[in-house]
Amino acid sequence: MKVLCSIYRSTKKLGMYLYVPREKGLREVPAELMALFGRAEHAMDLVLTENRKLVQEDILKVLENLCGQGYHVQMPPQAEDYIVHLPDELLTRNDPV
């Protein structure tokens, strides 16, 4: 299976992307999803096949969603360790001396 795909980035949520078949564009994406997604900024076009590697997504799931529902949403990655983002002062404030 080979799908020419357009990928759009969300203006509302950093790291959120929308994959759609290039020939259909955003026409088949539900209005409710587009309201949550915000204005779609075109990021790139890719040819997707079963052998292609994607960094954050399972290519088989992406292809299944593109063929079945006409779009695929890539959500932002979860922050693995939220405490890393705190300033050093807060990380060491209660440490024993």
Side-chain angles (χ1 to χ4, degrees), residues 13-14 21-22 24 34-35 37 39 41 63 73 82 88 96:
K13 184 85 170 163
L14 184 65
R22 185 168 175 211
K24 295 181 182 178
M34 289 308 297
F37 191 78
R39 189 173 56 83
E41 292 181 345
L63 289 170
V73 179
Y82 67 91
D88 288 339

Side-chain angles (χ1 to χ4, degrees), residues 26-46:
L26 298 170
R27 291 189 309 263
E28 294 186 11
V29 179
E32 298 83 13
L33 175 56
M34 289 308 297
L36 293 171
F37 191 78
R39 189 173 56 83
E41 292 181 345
H42 185 260
M44 69 182 87
D45 292 327
L46 290 176

Side-chain angles (χ1 to χ4, degrees), residues 79-93:
E80 291 181 22
D81 191 6
Y82 67 91
I83 203 161
V84 171
H85 303 292
L86 295 174
D88 288 339
E89 174 189 326
L90 293 176
L91 293 174
T92 59
R93 180 173 284 170

Side-chain angles (χ1 to χ4, degrees), residues 11 22-23 44 49 52 57 65 80 85 89 94:
T11 56
R22 185 168 175 211
E23 70 276 359
M44 69 182 87
T49 65
R52 180 157 195 132
E57 296 294 298
N65 287 341
E80 291 181 22
H85 303 292
E89 174 189 326
N94 293 327

Side-chain angles (χ1 to χ4, degrees), residues 46-57:
L46 290 176
V47 176
L48 299 181
T49 65
E50 291 94 347
N51 299 327
R52 180 157 195 132
K53 301 280 188 218
L54 296 174
V55 175
Q56 294 183 4
E57 296 294 298

